[in-house]
Amino acid sequence: MGGGSDPNQDGSDEQQKRSEIYTYEAPWHIYAMNWSVRRDKKYRLAIASFLEQYPNRVEIVQLDESNGEIRSDPKLSFEHPFPATKTIFIPDKECQKPDLLATSGDFLRVWRINDEQPRVELKSLLNGNKNSEFCGPLTSFDWNEAEPRRIGTSSIDTTCTIWDIERETVDTQLIAHDKEVYDIAWGGVGVFASVSADGSVRVFDLRDKEHSTIIYESSEPNTPLVRLGWNKQDPRYMATIIMDSAKVVVLDIRYPTLPVVELQRHHASVNAIAWAPHSSCHICTAGDDSQALIWDLSSMGQPVEGGLDPILAYTAGAEIEQLQWSSSQPDWVAIAFSTKLQILRV
């Protein structure tokens, strides 16, 4: 991920392989972005525009390994109302289910990707507010890997909604926080967590919907938490981002309230976090200092003088707003900055 070697120099093949970086330039500013999970769709991603107008776009792009170009298929590009706040491909590595993509914005939408006659069709438009055709915009959502018919959404109306997307019905809707909910993450089949403008991380268990556990509250009052990442390889750990802060707070849910470590090597606001899909102690962070940093947290919990340093750093051409670590190809991390999508071999 250092990206320092020049493939034109006489280096070993191994050296060249290690420095692989592929770039795609979109016709607009990229906001939402996600890797495909299916084994038969390597190097495929969805990217979504951030345009200050009603019609926005989503594109599905794929790396052509033969020539090293990331290409967009115009037939798999489609219009999206308002900017998508998040996009996720169905967590279906073994290709057992239809090829679906979900997006959040004014509503949760599920799209079906048809490869035979290439096109993307809207399969479901899911509105969690039964009393009105209007809704509180969705800030984020997460697709349950253990139970792929479940998607959880977070909204500025303080609620989290758990959908059964096969039946197109609401399983559960609960008031999760005192203020806007900015992110949601699954930690198992029936357990999810959320972060909010009220400054708290809360964990919910669907078997006991009346109660939640506050895992962390930001030390300064009224400091929103904007992103949440739950470590899939070791669910005791999660990480959160404080609004307009250059630090990332890592939490151990067995010891609420106190961070187990704070990552403090960014020089500007952090925008995105991604736990490694294949290792319990690695996390990637990215932010407005144009840096993507990978950290080894195996010494977590032991004091490190002067604080922890990242083990890898990559500097992009602008502020990094989005970061995703590929679960089916864990050697690859994708970042989005300005109009560019880059995939980096780590």
Side-chain angles (χ1 to χ4, degrees), residues 200-245:
S200 68
V201 180
R202 299 188 188 190
V203 175
F204 297 84
D205 188 324
L206 293 176
R207 292 166 301 189
D208 178 11
K209 296 169 190 168
E210 298 304 308
H211 301 98
S212 65
T213 307
I214 296 179
I215 298 296
Y216 175 76
E217 291 189 282
S218 42
S219 45
E220 284 113 49
N222 299 324
T223 311
L225 302 176
V226 290
R227 288 284 168 265
L228 179 68
W230 202 326
N231 187 338
K232 297 276 196 288
Q233 296 298 316
D234 187 344
R236 294 173 300 179
Y237 296 105
M238 50 175 77
T240 185
I241 301 172
I242 299 160
M243 186 180 271
D244 300 328
S245 165

mmCIF file of all heavy atoms in Angstrom, residues 200-245:
data_model
loop_
_atom_site.group_PDB
_atom_site.id
_atom_site.type_symbol
_atom_site.label_atom_id
_atom_site.label_comp_id
_atom_site.label_asym_id
_atom_site.label_seq_id
_atom_site.Cartn_x
_atom_site.Cartn_y
_atom_site.Cartn_z
ATOM 1 N N SER A 200 -23.528 8.735 21.701
ATOM 2 C CA SER A 200 -23.411 7.408 22.315
ATOM 3 C C SER A 200 -23.330 6.293 21.277
ATOM 4 O O SER A 200 -23.817 6.423 20.157
ATOM 5 C CB SER A 200 -24.599 7.141 23.252
ATOM 6 O OG SER A 200 -25.800 7.022 22.511
ATOM 7 N N VAL A 201 -22.682 5.184 21.698
ATOM 8 C CA VAL A 201 -22.721 3.912 20.970
ATOM 9 C C VAL A 201 -23.642 3.006 21.764
ATOM 10 O O VAL A 201 -23.414 2.788 22.963
ATOM 11 C CB VAL A 201 -21.325 3.245 20.898
ATOM 12 C CG1 VAL A 201 -21.404 1.923 20.132
ATOM 13 C CG2 VAL A 201 -20.300 4.163 20.257
ATOM 14 N N ARG A 202 -24.681 2.488 21.124
ATOM 15 C CA ARG A 202 -25.622 1.617 21.834
ATOM 16 C C ARG A 202 -25.737 0.270 21.117
ATOM 17 O O ARG A 202 -25.733 0.218 19.889
ATOM 18 C CB ARG A 202 -27.003 2.268 21.916
ATOM 19 C CG ARG A 202 -26.952 3.587 22.672
ATOM 20 C CD ARG A 202 -28.311 4.181 22.937
ATOM 21 N NE ARG A 202 -28.182 5.531 23.488
ATOM 22 C CZ ARG A 202 -29.162 6.239 24.003
ATOM 23 N NH1 ARG A 202 -30.386 5.728 24.057
ATOM 24 N NH2 ARG A 202 -28.956 7.451 24.472
ATOM 25 N N VAL A 203 -25.852 -0.789 21.918
ATOM 26 C CA VAL A 203 -25.988 -2.146 21.377
ATOM 27 C C VAL A 203 -27.394 -2.655 21.681
ATOM 28 O O VAL A 203 -27.895 -2.503 22.803
ATOM 29 C CB VAL A 203 -24.929 -3.092 21.987
ATOM 30 C CG1 VAL A 203 -25.160 -4.523 21.523
ATOM 31 C CG2 VAL A 203 -23.522 -2.637 21.594
ATOM 32 N N PHE A 204 -28.016 -3.251 20.657
ATOM 33 C CA PHE A 204 -29.389 -3.760 20.776
ATOM 34 C C PHE A 204 -29.399 -5.254 20.469
ATOM 35 O O PHE A 204 -28.706 -5.712 19.570
ATOM 36 C CB PHE A 204 -30.305 -3.058 19.766
ATOM 37 C CG PHE A 204 -30.424 -1.569 19.991
ATOM 38 C CD1 PHE A 204 -29.470 -0.706 19.478
ATOM 39 C CD2 PHE A 204 -31.471 -1.045 20.729
ATOM 40 C CE1 PHE A 204 -29.559 0.665 19.691
ATOM 41 C CE2 PHE A 204 -31.572 0.317 20.947
ATOM 42 C CZ PHE A 204 -30.615 1.180 20.432
ATOM 43 N N ASP A 205 -30.229 -5.976 21.222
ATOM 44 C CA ASP A 205 -30.434 -7.402 20.966
ATOM 45 C C ASP A 205 -31.913 -7.572 20.618
ATOM 46 O O ASP A 205 -32.787 -7.195 21.411
ATOM 47 C CB ASP A 205 -30.074 -8.210 22.222
ATOM 48 C CG ASP A 205 -30.071 -9.708 21.958
ATOM 49 O OD1 ASP A 205 -30.927 -10.180 21.172
ATOM 50 O OD2 ASP A 205 -29.212 -10.409 22.530
ATOM 51 N N LEU A 206 -32.189 -8.127 19.447
ATOM 52 C CA LEU A 206 -33.580 -8.223 18.989
ATOM 53 C C LEU A 206 -34.434 -9.141 19.867
ATOM 54 O O LEU A 206 -35.653 -9.131 19.774
ATOM 55 C CB LEU A 206 -33.620 -8.693 17.531
ATOM 56 C CG LEU A 206 -33.043 -7.684 16.518
ATOM 57 C CD1 LEU A 206 -33.044 -8.270 15.113
ATOM 58 C CD2 LEU A 206 -33.799 -6.368 16.549
ATOM 59 N N ARG A 207 -33.793 -9.932 20.738
ATOM 60 C CA ARG A 207 -34.584 -10.780 21.651
ATOM 61 C C ARG A 207 -35.120 -9.973 22.829
ATOM 62 O O ARG A 207 -35.989 -10.437 23.560
ATOM 63 C CB ARG A 207 -33.722 -11.940 22.158
ATOM 64 C CG ARG A 207 -33.359 -12.936 21.059
ATOM 65 C CD ARG A 207 -32.255 -13.858 21.499
ATOM 66 N NE ARG A 207 -31.044 -13.116 21.858
ATOM 67 C CZ ARG A 207 -29.869 -13.696 22.106
ATOM 68 N NH1 ARG A 207 -29.745 -15.001 22.035
ATOM 69 N NH2 ARG A 207 -28.816 -12.967 22.423
ATOM 70 N N ASP A 208 -34.556 -8.775 23.027
ATOM 71 C CA ASP A 208 -35.010 -7.931 24.137
ATOM 72 C C ASP A 208 -35.033 -6.483 23.640
ATOM 73 O O ASP A 208 -34.103 -5.712 23.866
ATOM 74 C CB ASP A 208 -34.049 -8.086 25.335
ATOM 75 C CG ASP A 208 -34.458 -7.183 26.500
ATOM 76 O OD1 ASP A 208 -35.574 -6.626 26.456
ATOM 77 O OD2 ASP A 208 -33.647 -7.013 27.435
ATOM 78 N N LYS A 209 -36.115 -6.155 22.934
ATOM 79 C CA LYS A 209 -36.149 -4.872 22.221
ATOM 80 C C LYS A 209 -36.352 -3.676 23.134
ATOM 81 O O LYS A 209 -36.178 -2.535 22.717
ATOM 82 C CB LYS A 209 -37.264 -4.909 21.164
ATOM 83 C CG LYS A 209 -36.994 -5.960 20.098
ATOM 84 C CD LYS A 209 -38.209 -6.185 19.228
ATOM 85 C CE LYS A 209 -38.000 -7.401 18.348
ATOM 86 N NZ LYS A 209 -39.209 -7.840 17.707
ATOM 87 N N GLU A 210 -36.737 -3.925 24.374
ATOM 88 C CA GLU A 210 -37.025 -2.803 25.274
ATOM 89 C C GLU A 210 -35.752 -2.170 25.814
ATOM 90 O O GLU A 210 -35.781 -1.067 26.350
ATOM 91 C CB GLU A 210 -37.881 -3.288 26.460
ATOM 92 C CG GLU A 210 -39.242 -3.842 26.056
ATOM 93 C CD GLU A 210 -40.057 -2.834 25.251
ATOM 94 O OE1 GLU A 210 -40.214 -1.697 25.724
ATOM 95 O OE2 GLU A 210 -40.511 -3.189 24.143
ATOM 96 N N HIS A 211 -34.652 -2.898 25.736
ATOM 97 C CA HIS A 211 -33.434 -2.419 26.395
ATOM 98 C C HIS A 211 -32.274 -2.304 25.405
ATOM 99 O O HIS A 211 -32.212 -3.023 24.421
ATOM 100 C CB HIS A 211 -33.025 -3.382 27.529
ATOM 101 C CG HIS A 211 -34.081 -3.522 28.563
ATOM 102 N ND1 HIS A 211 -34.963 -4.571 28.573
ATOM 103 C CD2 HIS A 211 -34.420 -2.715 29.607
ATOM 104 C CE1 HIS A 211 -35.808 -4.426 29.595
ATOM 105 N NE2 HIS A 211 -35.494 -3.301 30.228
ATOM 106 N N SER A 212 -31.371 -1.363 25.710
ATOM 107 C CA SER A 212 -30.119 -1.297 24.947
ATOM 108 C C SER A 212 -28.990 -1.064 25.941
ATOM 109 O O SER A 212 -29.225 -0.651 27.077
ATOM 110 C CB SER A 212 -30.166 -0.164 23.923
ATOM 111 O OG SER A 212 -30.239 1.092 24.580
ATOM 112 N N THR A 213 -27.771 -1.341 25.498
ATOM 113 C CA THR A 213 -26.604 -1.150 26.357
ATOM 114 C C THR A 213 -25.771 -0.018 25.785
ATOM 115 O O THR A 213 -25.409 -0.058 24.598
ATOM 116 C CB THR A 213 -25.745 -2.442 26.385
ATOM 117 O OG1 THR A 213 -26.590 -3.526 26.745
ATOM 118 C CG2 THR A 213 -24.611 -2.318 27.376
ATOM 119 N N ILE A 214 -25.491 0.969 26.610
ATOM 120 C CA ILE A 214 -24.605 2.058 26.163
ATOM 121 C C ILE A 214 -23.161 1.601 26.365
ATOM 122 O O ILE A 214 -22.735 1.327 27.490
ATOM 123 C CB ILE A 214 -24.891 3.371 26.926
ATOM 124 C CG1 ILE A 214 -26.309 3.866 26.600
ATOM 125 C CG2 ILE A 214 -23.862 4.436 26.570
ATOM 126 C CD1 ILE A 214 -26.720 5.140 27.293
ATOM 127 N N ILE A 215 -22.432 1.496 25.253
ATOM 128 C CA ILE A 215 -21.057 0.997 25.291
ATOM 129 C C ILE A 215 -20.073 2.148 25.488
ATOM 130 O O ILE A 215 -19.005 1.978 26.050
ATOM 131 C CB ILE A 215 -20.738 0.272 23.955
ATOM 132 C CG1 ILE A 215 -21.663 -0.935 23.780
ATOM 133 C CG2 ILE A 215 -19.291 -0.182 23.887
ATOM 134 C CD1 ILE A 215 -21.489 -2.004 24.819
ATOM 135 N N TYR A 216 -20.455 3.330 24.994
ATOM 136 C CA TYR A 216 -19.531 4.466 25.033
ATOM 137 C C TYR A 216 -20.319 5.753 24.868
ATOM 138 O O TYR A 216 -21.329 5.779 24.157
ATOM 139 C CB TYR A 216 -18.508 4.322 23.892
ATOM 140 C CG TYR A 216 -17.567 5.504 23.736
ATOM 141 C CD1 TYR A 216 -16.501 5.701 24.610
ATOM 142 C CD2 TYR A 216 -17.739 6.415 22.688
ATOM 143 C CE1 TYR A 216 -15.639 6.776 24.458
ATOM 144 C CE2 TYR A 216 -16.878 7.497 22.530
ATOM 145 C CZ TYR A 216 -15.836 7.673 23.418
ATOM 146 O OH TYR A 216 -14.980 8.742 23.259
ATOM 147 N N GLU A 217 -19.863 6.797 25.532
ATOM 148 C CA GLU A 217 -20.409 8.136 25.299
ATOM 149 C C GLU A 217 -19.247 9.098 25.124
ATOM 150 O O GLU A 217 -18.277 9.034 25.890
ATOM 151 C CB GLU A 217 -21.289 8.572 26.481
ATOM 152 C CG GLU A 217 -22.568 7.773 26.572
ATOM 153 C CD GLU A 217 -23.530 8.332 27.602
ATOM 154 O OE1 GLU A 217 -23.312 8.096 28.806
ATOM 155 O OE2 GLU A 217 -24.509 8.992 27.203
ATOM 156 N N SER A 218 -19.340 9.961 24.109
ATOM 157 C CA SER A 218 -18.209 10.853 23.866
ATOM 158 C C SER A 218 -18.007 11.774 25.071
ATOM 159 O O SER A 218 -18.960 12.182 25.731
ATOM 160 C CB SER A 218 -18.377 11.655 22.569
ATOM 161 O OG SER A 218 -19.675 12.118 22.408
ATOM 162 N N SER A 219 -16.735 12.047 25.343
ATOM 163 C CA SER A 219 -16.378 12.726 26.596
ATOM 164 C C SER A 219 -16.918 14.151 26.652
ATOM 165 O O SER A 219 -17.274 14.639 27.703
ATOM 166 C CB SER A 219 -14.865 12.714 26.792
ATOM 167 O OG SER A 219 -14.217 13.054 25.584
ATOM 168 N N GLU A 220 -16.943 14.831 25.475
ATOM 169 C CA GLU A 220 -17.551 16.166 25.477
ATOM 170 C C GLU A 220 -19.034 16.039 25.158
ATOM 171 O O GLU A 220 -19.402 15.343 24.215
ATOM 172 C CB GLU A 220 -16.890 17.068 24.436
ATOM 173 C CG GLU A 220 -15.535 17.587 24.836
ATOM 174 C CD GLU A 220 -14.432 17.019 23.961
ATOM 175 O OE1 GLU A 220 -14.594 17.059 22.736
ATOM 176 O OE2 GLU A 220 -13.440 16.512 24.503
ATOM 177 N N PRO A 221 -19.873 16.728 25.903
ATOM 178 C CA PRO A 221 -21.315 16.622 25.631
ATOM 179 C C PRO A 221 -21.657 17.153 24.240
ATOM 180 O O PRO A 221 -20.967 18.027 23.704
ATOM 181 C CB PRO A 221 -21.947 17.481 26.727
ATOM 182 C CG PRO A 221 -20.844 18.305 27.308
ATOM 183 C CD PRO A 221 -19.568 17.576 27.053
ATOM 184 N N ASN A 222 -22.711 16.605 23.672
ATOM 185 C CA ASN A 222 -23.200 17.028 22.349
ATOM 186 C C ASN A 222 -22.153 16.898 21.251
ATOM 187 O O ASN A 222 -22.085 17.720 20.339
ATOM 188 C CB ASN A 222 -23.719 18.476 22.387
ATOM 189 C CG ASN A 222 -24.885 18.609 23.350
ATOM 190 O OD1 ASN A 222 -25.701 17.690 23.459
ATOM 191 N ND2 ASN A 222 -24.949 19.704 24.070
ATOM 192 N N THR A 223 -21.293 15.886 21.367
ATOM 193 C CA THR A 223 -20.339 15.613 20.295
ATOM 194 C C THR A 223 -20.813 14.380 19.543
ATOM 195 O O THR A 223 -20.753 13.266 20.069
ATOM 196 C CB THR A 223 -18.928 15.352 20.866
ATOM 197 O OG1 THR A 223 -18.623 16.398 21.792
ATOM 198 C CG2 THR A 223 -17.897 15.352 19.759
ATOM 199 N N PRO A 224 -21.325 14.554 18.315
ATOM 200 C CA PRO A 224 -21.880 13.410 17.594
ATOM 201 C C PRO A 224 -20.831 12.361 17.241
ATOM 202 O O PRO A 224 -19.664 12.690 16.977
ATOM 203 C CB PRO A 224 -22.434 14.051 16.311
ATOM 204 C CG PRO A 224 -22.602 15.493 16.626
ATOM 205 C CD PRO A 224 -21.518 15.829 17.597
ATOM 206 N N LEU A 225 -21.268 11.109 17.255
ATOM 207 C CA LEU A 225 -20.483 10.004 16.694
ATOM 208 C C LEU A 225 -21.083 9.697 15.326
ATOM 209 O O LEU A 225 -22.301 9.559 15.204
ATOM 210 C CB LEU A 225 -20.559 8.778 17.602
ATOM 211 C CG LEU A 225 -20.080 8.984 19.043
ATOM 212 C CD1 LEU A 225 -20.308 7.718 19.857
ATOM 213 C CD2 LEU A 225 -18.608 9.374 19.079
ATOM 214 N N VAL A 226 -20.227 9.610 14.307
ATOM 215 C CA VAL A 226 -20.777 9.573 12.941
ATOM 216 C C VAL A 226 -20.594 8.247 12.211
ATOM 217 O O VAL A 226 -21.318 7.976 11.251
ATOM 218 C CB VAL A 226 -20.204 10.723 12.077
ATOM 219 C CG1 VAL A 226 -20.766 12.056 12.550
ATOM 220 C CG2 VAL A 226 -18.683 10.750 12.102
ATOM 221 N N ARG A 227 -19.628 7.434 12.620
ATOM 222 C CA ARG A 227 -19.426 6.149 11.941
ATOM 223 C C ARG A 227 -19.150 5.069 12.966
ATOM 224 O O ARG A 227 -18.598 5.334 14.041
ATOM 225 C CB ARG A 227 -18.245 6.214 10.963
ATOM 226 C CG ARG A 227 -18.517 7.014 9.716
ATOM 227 C CD ARG A 227 -19.394 6.250 8.720
ATOM 228 N NE ARG A 227 -19.881 7.101 7.668
ATOM 229 C CZ ARG A 227 -21.058 7.709 7.645
ATOM 230 N NH1 ARG A 227 -21.891 7.577 8.669
ATOM 231 N NH2 ARG A 227 -21.431 8.439 6.619
ATOM 232 N N LEU A 228 -19.499 3.841 12.589
ATOM 233 C CA LEU A 228 -19.307 2.699 13.487
ATOM 234 C C LEU A 228 -18.832 1.508 12.667
ATOM 235 O O LEU A 228 -19.409 1.206 11.622
ATOM 236 C CB LEU A 228 -20.638 2.359 14.167
ATOM 237 C CG LEU A 228 -20.615 1.172 15.131
ATOM 238 C CD1 LEU A 228 -19.785 1.514 16.363
ATOM 239 C CD2 LEU A 228 -22.031 0.804 15.555
ATOM 240 N N GLY A 229 -17.792 0.858 13.142
ATOM 241 C CA GLY A 229 -17.339 -0.384 12.503
ATOM 242 C C GLY A 229 -17.263 -1.472 13.554
ATOM 243 O O GLY A 229 -16.650 -1.277 14.620
ATOM 244 N N TRP A 230 -17.914 -2.611 13.282
ATOM 245 C CA TRP A 230 -17.885 -3.729 14.235
ATOM 246 C C TRP A 230 -16.947 -4.793 13.676
ATOM 247 O O TRP A 230 -17.077 -5.192 12.513
ATOM 248 C CB TRP A 230 -19.293 -4.295 14.423
ATOM 249 C CG TRP A 230 -19.486 -5.049 15.710
ATOM 250 C CD1 TRP A 230 -18.569 -5.808 16.366
ATOM 251 C CD2 TRP A 230 -20.684 -5.095 16.507
ATOM 252 N NE1 TRP A 230 -19.109 -6.327 17.521
ATOM 253 C CE2 TRP A 230 -20.399 -5.912 17.631
ATOM 254 C CE3 TRP A 230 -21.961 -4.546 16.380
ATOM 255 C CZ2 TRP A 230 -21.342 -6.193 18.618
ATOM 256 C CZ3 TRP A 230 -22.903 -4.830 17.365
ATOM 257 C CH2 TRP A 230 -22.600 -5.644 18.474
ATOM 258 N N ASN A 231 -16.008 -5.223 14.504
ATOM 259 C CA ASN A 231 -14.992 -6.189 14.077
ATOM 260 C C ASN A 231 -15.632 -7.563 13.869
ATOM 261 O O ASN A 231 -16.028 -8.224 14.821
ATOM 262 C CB ASN A 231 -13.902 -6.250 15.153
ATOM 263 C CG ASN A 231 -12.714 -7.091 14.754
ATOM 264 O OD1 ASN A 231 -12.808 -7.956 13.886
ATOM 265 N ND2 ASN A 231 -11.591 -6.834 15.396
ATOM 266 N N LYS A 232 -15.742 -7.980 12.596
ATOM 267 C CA LYS A 232 -16.431 -9.245 12.295
ATOM 268 C C LYS A 232 -15.618 -10.459 12.780
ATOM 269 O O LYS A 232 -16.165 -11.505 13.087
ATOM 270 C CB LYS A 232 -16.657 -9.379 10.780
ATOM 271 C CG LYS A 232 -17.573 -8.314 10.176
ATOM 272 C CD LYS A 232 -19.031 -8.684 10.338
ATOM 273 C CE LYS A 232 -19.954 -7.901 9.444
ATOM 274 N NZ LYS A 232 -20.145 -6.510 9.819
ATOM 275 N N GLN A 233 -14.295 -10.309 12.822
ATOM 276 C CA GLN A 233 -13.450 -11.436 13.219
ATOM 277 C C GLN A 233 -13.364 -11.591 14.741
ATOM 278 O O GLN A 233 -13.072 -12.671 15.243
ATOM 279 C CB GLN A 233 -12.029 -11.265 12.653
ATOM 280 C CG GLN A 233 -11.963 -11.290 11.143
ATOM 281 C CD GLN A 233 -12.423 -12.613 10.580
ATOM 282 O OE1 GLN A 233 -12.058 -13.680 11.077
ATOM 283 N NE2 GLN A 233 -13.244 -12.567 9.549
ATOM 284 N N ASP A 234 -13.600 -10.512 15.448
ATOM 285 C CA ASP A 234 -13.589 -10.553 16.909
ATOM 286 C C ASP A 234 -14.633 -9.557 17.417
ATOM 287 O O ASP A 234 -14.331 -8.387 17.666
ATOM 288 C CB ASP A 234 -12.198 -10.197 17.456
ATOM 289 C CG ASP A 234 -12.128 -10.415 18.968
ATOM 290 O OD1 ASP A 234 -13.201 -10.533 19.610
ATOM 291 O OD2 ASP A 234 -11.014 -10.470 19.518
ATOM 292 N N PRO A 235 -15.893 -10.018 17.556
ATOM 293 C CA PRO A 235 -17.012 -9.101 17.844
ATOM 294 C C PRO A 235 -16.933 -8.413 19.203
ATOM 295 O O PRO A 235 -17.825 -7.642 19.549
ATOM 296 C CB PRO A 235 -18.250 -9.991 17.752
ATOM 297 C CG PRO A 235 -17.803 -11.262 17.126
ATOM 298 C CD PRO A 235 -16.339 -11.399 17.368
ATOM 299 N N ARG A 236 -15.876 -8.660 19.961
ATOM 300 C CA ARG A 236 -15.724 -7.902 21.209
ATOM 301 C C ARG A 236 -15.326 -6.453 20.915
ATOM 302 O O ARG A 236 -15.464 -5.585 21.767
ATOM 303 C CB ARG A 236 -14.641 -8.537 22.087
ATOM 304 C CG ARG A 236 -15.016 -9.919 22.598
ATOM 305 C CD ARG A 236 -13.858 -10.561 23.315
ATOM 306 N NE ARG A 236 -12.692 -10.721 22.451
ATOM 307 C CZ ARG A 236 -11.532 -11.252 22.853
ATOM 308 N NH1 ARG A 236 -11.406 -11.661 24.100
ATOM 309 N NH2 ARG A 236 -10.520 -11.374 22.028
ATOM 310 N N TYR A 237 -14.817 -6.210 19.697
ATOM 311 C CA TYR A 237 -14.268 -4.890 19.396
ATOM 312 C C TYR A 237 -15.089 -4.139 18.355
ATOM 313 O O TYR A 237 -15.558 -4.712 17.380
ATOM 314 C CB TYR A 237 -12.824 -5.020 18.904
ATOM 315 C CG TYR A 237 -11.909 -5.584 19.970
ATOM 316 C CD1 TYR A 237 -11.453 -6.903 19.897
ATOM 317 C CD2 TYR A 237 -11.528 -4.807 21.063
ATOM 318 C CE1 TYR A 237 -10.637 -7.435 20.888
ATOM 319 C CE2 TYR A 237 -10.718 -5.337 22.067
ATOM 320 C CZ TYR A 237 -10.274 -6.641 21.970
ATOM 321 O OH TYR A 237 -9.478 -7.154 22.965
ATOM 322 N N MET A 238 -15.223 -2.849 18.589
ATOM 323 C CA MET A 238 -15.808 -1.977 17.575
ATOM 324 C C MET A 238 -15.031 -0.667 17.582
ATOM 325 O O MET A 238 -14.267 -0.372 18.501
ATOM 326 C CB MET A 238 -17.302 -1.778 17.779
ATOM 327 C CG MET A 238 -17.757 -1.384 19.132
ATOM 328 S SD MET A 238 -19.548 -1.054 19.171
ATOM 329 C CE MET A 238 -20.257 -2.654 19.178
ATOM 330 N N ALA A 239 -15.218 0.107 16.516
ATOM 331 C CA ALA A 239 -14.515 1.387 16.405
ATOM 332 C C ALA A 239 -15.525 2.443 15.986
ATOM 333 O O ALA A 239 -16.468 2.154 15.246
ATOM 334 C CB ALA A 239 -13.383 1.290 15.389
ATOM 335 N N THR A 240 -15.308 3.670 16.462
ATOM 336 C CA THR A 240 -16.218 4.750 16.100
ATOM 337 C C THR A 240 -15.435 6.030 15.823
ATOM 338 O O THR A 240 -14.290 6.182 16.262
ATOM 339 C CB THR A 240 -17.286 4.982 17.198
ATOM 340 O OG1 THR A 240 -18.225 5.960 16.737
ATOM 341 C CG2 THR A 240 -16.673 5.458 18.506
ATOM 342 N N ILE A 241 -16.079 6.916 15.060
ATOM 343 C CA ILE A 241 -15.483 8.199 14.681
ATOM 344 C C ILE A 241 -16.312 9.308 15.306
ATOM 345 O O ILE A 241 -17.545 9.288 15.247
ATOM 346 C CB ILE A 241 -15.499 8.379 13.144
ATOM 347 C CG1 ILE A 241 -14.736 7.255 12.446
ATOM 348 C CG2 ILE A 241 -14.927 9.725 12.747
ATOM 349 C CD1 ILE A 241 -14.902 7.293 10.935
ATOM 350 N N ILE A 242 -15.608 10.277 15.876
ATOM 351 C CA ILE A 242 -16.256 11.459 16.442
ATOM 352 C C ILE A 242 -16.301 12.534 15.361
ATOM 353 O O ILE A 242 -15.330 12.725 14.624
ATOM 354 C CB ILE A 242 -15.450 11.953 17.664
ATOM 355 C CG1 ILE A 242 -15.411 10.858 18.733
ATOM 356 C CG2 ILE A 242 -16.029 13.246 18.224
ATOM 357 C CD1 ILE A 242 -14.304 11.006 19.745
ATOM 358 N N MET A 243 -17.429 13.224 15.247
ATOM 359 C CA MET A 243 -17.566 14.234 14.199
ATOM 360 C C MET A 243 -16.441 15.271 14.270
ATOM 361 O O MET A 243 -16.114 15.769 15.350
ATOM 362 C CB MET A 243 -18.924 14.942 14.316
ATOM 363 C CG MET A 243 -19.199 15.902 13.176
ATOM 364 S SD MET A 243 -20.805 16.705 13.353
ATOM 365 C CE MET A 243 -21.857 15.554 12.517
ATOM 366 N N ASP A 244 -15.847 15.572 13.104
ATOM 367 C CA ASP A 244 -14.795 16.593 12.983
ATOM 368 C C ASP A 244 -13.590 16.317 13.876
ATOM 369 O O ASP A 244 -12.886 17.239 14.298
ATOM 370 C CB ASP A 244 -15.340 18.003 13.302
ATOM 371 C CG ASP A 244 -16.458 18.405 12.359
ATOM 372 O OD1 ASP A 244 -16.425 17.972 11.190
ATOM 373 O OD2 ASP A 244 -17.368 19.139 12.773
ATOM 374 N N SER A 245 -13.333 15.042 14.156
ATOM 375 C CA SER A 245 -12.193 14.702 15.002
ATOM 376 C C SER A 245 -11.190 13.878 14.204
ATOM 377 O O SER A 245 -11.566 13.085 13.336
ATOM 378 C CB SER A 245 -12.667 13.898 16.212
ATOM 379 O OG SER A 245 -11.565 13.265 16.849
#
